[in-house]
Every structure is written in structure tokens, then in C-alpha cells.
Amino acid sequence: MPEKGSAEFEELVKSPQKAYLKTITPKFQTLIDLSVIEILSRHASDELYLGERDNPNWTSDKRALEAFKKFGNKLAEIEKKLTQRNNDEKLRNRHGPVEMPYTLLYPSSKEGLTFRGIPNSISI
């Protein structure tokens, strides 16, 4: 809120709607912002996720391969637990007001805008 006595406050008193509309981002800028957010939020068809590798022979170290497999199994367990919690009616606030389950930290996703999945941004 503008301070009393300021020009902004006088404008707010005189025309609240006009003062409010000045605070909103212009339509064109909003369209650009939303387009960028959507583009950056999409998952590619060839995207790899946390715990995945595109080459199963990425290392010859058997201990590293076993640890990576164990890590991938743990991620699958976490996703399963998240799914169970989202489906449990006894847990409060699992969906929020829009009835949309919590999927942001699921370690997997499909192509497109899915609101889920942790991309593996480390490529070798």
C-alpha cells in the first residue's frame, strides 16, 4: 500500500481500479512469461531422470553399478510411497484446493507438461 500523502496514495483514493491495474503486468509480458515457463517445464521424449542412464555400460566399476541400481530402486520406493500417500484419505492436504495430487518429486515422468519428474541434468 502506498503511504498516506504520496501521489500513489492520492491516485489510489481517487481511482482504486486504475491504481490496481497499474500494478498488473501487461498482457504481452504476461504471455511471454507464461510461454517461457511452459517451455522450460516440458519434459523431452529423450529426457533422462534421476537414477537413469542412457548407456547401461556407463562405467565398468561393479560397485558403482550396484550402488546406482540400489539408488534407482530407492527412488522407485519413494515414488510408490508418494503415490500411496496421495491415495490415503486419512492424510490431510494431500491434494489442496484444486484436487491435484502431489507429484513434483516423483523421480519419473512422461513426455510433455506433467508437473512431475526430476530430470537428470548430468550427462557424460
Side-chain angles (χ1 to χ4, degrees):
M1 290 295 296
E3 292 184 31
K4 281 189 177 181
S6 68
E8 291 84 10
F9 185 81
E10 295 305 320
E11 182 180 21
L12 180 63
V13 171
K14 183 178 175 184
S15 178
Q17 186 175 12
K18 185 177 178 183
Y20 171 72
L21 289 174
K22 280 186 171 182
T23 67
I24 297 176
T25 308
K27 287 181 195 177
F28 182 71
Q29 185 63 45
T30 302
L31 181 63
I32 290 172
D33 293 348
L34 290 174
S35 298
V36 168
I37 289 169
E38 183 177 346
I39 289 167
L40 293 176
S41 299
R42 288 190 174 276
H43 294 280
S45 60
D46 61 346
E47 193 163 38
L48 296 175
Y49 296 93
L50 194 61
E52 295 180 350
R53 292 284 182 167
D54 57 347
N55 181 355
N57 301 316
W58 58 274
T59 183
S60 60
D61 184 345
K62 291 186 189 267
R63 284 183 34 204
L65 290 170
E66 288 172 14
F68 192 73
K69 184 176 181 180
K70 184 177 176 183
F71 177 67
N73 290 339
K74 185 68 174 172
L75 288 174
E77 287 176 33
I78 290 170
E79 184 168 343
K80 186 177 178 182
K81 284 182 184 179
L82 286 172
T83 302
Q84 288 170 343
R85 289 178 182 176
N86 281 335
N87 293 329
D88 190 343
E89 294 292 329
K90 292 181 273 180
L91 297 174
R92 295 181 59 205
N93 299 324
R94 298 309 302 174
H95 290 82
V98 293
E99 294 295 323
M100 191 171 179
Y102 179 82
T103 59
L104 186 61
L105 290 179
Y106 279 18
S108 65
S109 183
K110 296 177 182 165
E111 181 180 356
L113 192 59
T114 63
F115 306 107
R116 63 184 283 177
I118 305 169
N120 184 3
S121 58
I122 301 171
S123 297
I124 298 174

